[in-house]
Amino acid sequence: MNHEELQIRTQSDIVLVRKAVRELTAKLGFGLTDQTKITTAASELARNTLEYGLGGHLEMETLKNDLGKSGIRLTFIDQGPGIADIALALTDGFTSGKGMGMGLSGSKRLMNEFTIDSEMGKGTRVSVTKWK
Amino acid sequence: MAEQNTHLSSLLQKNEQSLLTQWIEAQQRVIGTKISPQELKIQCMDFLRLMVEATHQDKSTSIDGPAWVTAKKMLAEVSKSRTNQGFSPSQTALFVFSLKRPLFDLLRKELVDRPNEFADAIWAITQILDQLGLYTAEMHQRSREEVINRQQADMLELSTPVVKLWDGILALPMIGTLDSNRTQIVMESLLQKIMETESEIAIIDITGVPTVDTLVAQHLIKTVTAARLMGTECIISGIRPQIAATIVHLGVELGNIATKSTLADAFKLALSRTGRSVSKTTTHSPATGMRK
Ligand SMILES: Nc1ncnc2c1ncn2[C@@H]1O[C@H](COP(=O)(O)OP(=O)(O)OP(=O)(O)O)[C@@H](O)[C@H]1O
Ligand SMILES: [Mg+2]
């Protein structure tokens, strides 16, 4: 349905991502708690795209399932180094940098659906969905 | 090359008045009266004189030499005031470029039967004016950047006001979207202020922070830990229900940091920790003193 692309190249792009996601979730009628959860997950994944994926972009889609329920899907795509061990990356507290190591696993808990594809040397694609 | 603006200086000087009139008219056709006619006239007169001097001292077609320093300084000032008045880069550079036409007309009249000299003179003046015009546009850009930097710095300052609630109790409301750089700076200045005031308790209020992700949480935890090492206990307040729910799902542990949902609750806790309490007085009926 609705589709929008946002660049993630700088710190301020992350702020813009959060703003765009918050506005879209509000427009879709998500409650305040869900708006906050989705925006926070977007913030985490956008930061990973910038810090580890060396920049990339976000695709924002609005969805409608068979039962007429609406949802939002956020897909973060980069052409960075990729993730060697996805299970390890998804472990609470694992970080290869200086973070808390909670971003990836936390985003998974904040959203309804979570898929991650990564290939070494090619890049990473993380897609998350939340239904109303 | 070095000889190419031989006539320019005397030419400018000899025709100052007519040049001035045409130059001012050319500018006013574009910018109207955005700048008062007197101000514009003074700027143009001053600059023409400086050009006469510079082209007299420096016969080359470059503006990099010492003869041009004063003229460029003036251009920088004009540029800055145009920027502050909201002129675009091209409107600002117009100050220089609009001199081309009147000068070319003048050259044509003066050198009508010396086509070679005419061509040389046109080339020389074009080079000089182009450099001056670009310089003006560059100065415009620089002034813009200064304005932006200043605003950014203002924002950082603004985002960490310190409110003294009681002796030894500070409140630090954090406001706005925190990107990585800003979070770092905001946290550092919080610590600075805690240190300066040697407070027992600091309440960090995050009511005005729309998103608390792992980065913000990590900085908060680091700040509280650092403050503790300096002998100051922190309370985090303003954690709205939706933020609390999100932090839990994110899996971030605020550990043994005291948190309260409102600043008022945090203040109450701070008072009791410093051996004080707030109680209602019973001697007066409420609100009588408040009414007219
Ligand atoms: N897009 C990506 N490209 C390459 N590696 C990634 C990417 N996203 C995550 N990773 C790897 O997965 C690890 C875990 O990511 P996660 O977001 O959970 O933690 P973090 O970013 O290190 O810290 P935090 O998000 O808590 O501040 C990262 O340290 C990094 O090694
Ligand atoms: Mg992360």
Side-chain angles (χ1 to χ4, degrees), chain B residues 154-266:
Chain B
D154 285 351
M155 240 170 61
L156 290 174
E157 290 272 301
L158 269 182
S159 59
T160 51
V162 179
V163 188
K164 185 174 167 186
L165 294 180
W166 209 263
D167 286 339
I169 304 174
L170 284 186
L172 308 150
M174 290 180 40
I175 293 154
T177 307
L178 299 164
D179 61 22
S180 189
N181 296 333
R182 238 187 110 197
T183 312
Q184 182 82 29
I185 295 166
V186 167
M187 297 296 172
E188 275 166 13
S189 70
L190 288 195
L191 280 179
Q192 184 67 32
K193 272 148 192 170
I194 288 174
M195 213 162 67
E196 280 165 16
T197 54
E198 294 180 5
S199 292
E200 272 176 80
I201 297 191
I203 302 170
I204 302 174
D205 187 78
I206 60 168
T207 310
V209 179
T211 314
V212 178
D213 62 3
T214 58
L215 184 76
V216 173
Q218 191 184 26
H219 279 295
L220 275 173
I221 293 167
K222 275 189 191 161
T223 306
V224 172
T225 311
R228 204 169 268 163
L229 289 174
M230 302 189 304
T232 304
E233 275 302 311
C234 291
I235 303 170
I236 297 176
S237 71
I239 303 185
R240 288 155 294 154
Q242 64 271 27
I243 301 269
T246 302
I247 293 180
V248 169
H249 279 80
L250 207 48
V252 170
E253 307 258 354
L254 288 179
N256 53 359
I257 301 172
T259 58
K260 288 286 169 193
S261 58
T262 66
L263 185 58
D265 288 341

Side-chain angles (χ1 to χ4, degrees), chain A residues 57-132:
Chain A
H57 73 274
L58 158 66
E59 287 175 20
M60 285 201 305
E61 297 165 79
T62 56
L63 311 169
K64 204 149 233 153
N65 74 3
D66 304 340
L67 303 167
K69 224 162 62 162
S70 53
I72 183 173
R73 175 171 298 149
L74 306 173
T75 307
F76 295 82
I77 299 163
D78 68 62
Q79 276 78 46
I83 301 175
D85 185 341
I86 290 179
L88 182 62
L90 273 166
T91 309
D92 276 355
F94 171 81
T95 177
S96 64
K98 283 185 275 176
M100 296 186 94
M102 300 303 290
L104 221 44
S105 53
S107 309
K108 189 174 175 181
R109 283 188 292 266
L110 288 168
M111 303 294 281
N112 295 130
E113 292 162 23
F114 180 99
T115 59
I116 180 166
D117 299 295
S118 190
E119 202 179 321
M120 292 303 285
K122 286 267 170 66
T124 302
R125 179 190 184 93
V126 181
S127 189
V128 290
T129 307
K130 186 99 176 167
W131 296 101
K132 248 177 85 182

